[in-house]
Amino acid sequence: MQTLGLAGGERVLDVGCGVGGTPTALAQAVGPSGRVMGLELLPAAVEAARRTEGLPANVSFECGDAQTFPLNPGAFDAIFSRFGMMFFARPADALSNLR
């Protein structure tokens, strides 16, 4: 996370966010004017993340596959993934979509 050098107001995509721990930490780094979207493949994890008590207002979650999830070019300033990338069935496709 520190390597990203995030600043206030930036928009971050967290790939494979699980139940929401890392999006919350990223939200602290970008401050209230920033935005963090957690992208998670497992619907149960997304639902659990959305129910997190004290979830910052600038954090949202989407359920989808990073290989095919529709992302608008330029929508994010940075992409973070703690463990999610190791589960890509087709890493080249996922990374191409994320780029």
Side-chain angles (χ1 to χ4, degrees), residues 6-92:
L6 297 172
E10 290 191 301
R11 303 156 301 161
V12 182
L13 175 64
D14 185 355
V15 178
C17 66
V19 295
T22 53
T24 298
L26 291 164
Q28 291 173 352
V30 299
S33 63
R35 183 171 59 91
V36 177
M37 185 179 99
L39 180 61
E40 172 59 46
L41 184 61
L42 303 173
V46 172
E47 289 307 313
R50 288 178 176 158
R51 290 190 305 268
T52 300
E53 189 172 321
L55 187 67
N58 62 339
V59 175
S60 64
F61 297 95
E62 295 292 333
C63 187
D65 187 334
Q67 296 171 142
T68 58
F69 192 83
L71 298 165
N72 294 323
F76 298 98
D77 300 302
I79 298 174
F80 176 84
S81 181
R82 178 176 279 171
F83 299 115
M85 297 177 84
M86 74 172 106
F87 297 106
F88 291 162
R90 297 182 321 273

